[in-house]
Amino acid sequence: SSEDGFIVSSEANGNKITSAYNKKGNWTYTIERFGSGNFVADIVDVVKADYDNFSITGMEKIDQSGYNTVYIVHLENDHCIKTVRVKNDESEVLQDFKKG
């Protein structure tokens, strides 16, 4: 709870869910963090089409009032660590780190 509203945390099917509400109790956003093995199959398919040689190490689903759902997918292989955003079945690299 804060002067801007409040946050509710829960867990369902092995996923951690955080939802935020404003002072009036209206929903603002929800972030769902998927546990390993619970990744969304359709999103895995989109990412694997472009990054087949990477393993998925994490995934978050972000729902925000007035916006389309966005997925953040964390990828890794022997040489790189990437963070990819998937929106409307299109992927975009947000971060790309080379392993040293």
Side-chain angles (χ1 to χ4, degrees), residues 35-91:
S36 182
N38 284 345
F39 301 139
V40 178
D42 291 343
I43 302 303
V44 170
D45 292 344
V46 169
V47 170
K48 285 295 189 175
D50 293 329
Y51 305 99
D52 189 43
N53 60 339
F54 283 80
S55 297
I56 296 175
T57 59
M59 180 183 292
E60 292 92 27
K61 175 184 176 187
I62 303 169
D63 287 309
Q64 188 175 5
S65 181
Y67 295 93
N68 290 341
T69 298
V70 173
Y71 289 85
I72 303 297
V73 183
H74 306 279
L75 305 168
E76 186 171 347
N77 68 12
D78 292 339
H79 309 287
C80 299
I81 298 172
K82 294 182 186 282
T83 302
V84 174
R85 174 176 45 209
V86 178
K87 184 170 127 180
N88 300 326
D89 292 332
E90 294 183 11
S91 64

Side-chain angles (χ1 to χ4, degrees), residues 19-49:
S19 296
Y21 299 85
N22 66 19
K23 289 189 276 190
K24 294 181 180 180
N26 297 316
W27 172 78
T28 307
Y29 68 83
T30 297
I31 300 173
E32 183 172 1
R33 292 168 181 82
F34 295 90
S36 182
N38 284 345
F39 301 139
V40 178
D42 291 343
I43 302 303
V44 170
D45 292 344
V46 169
V47 170
K48 285 295 189 175

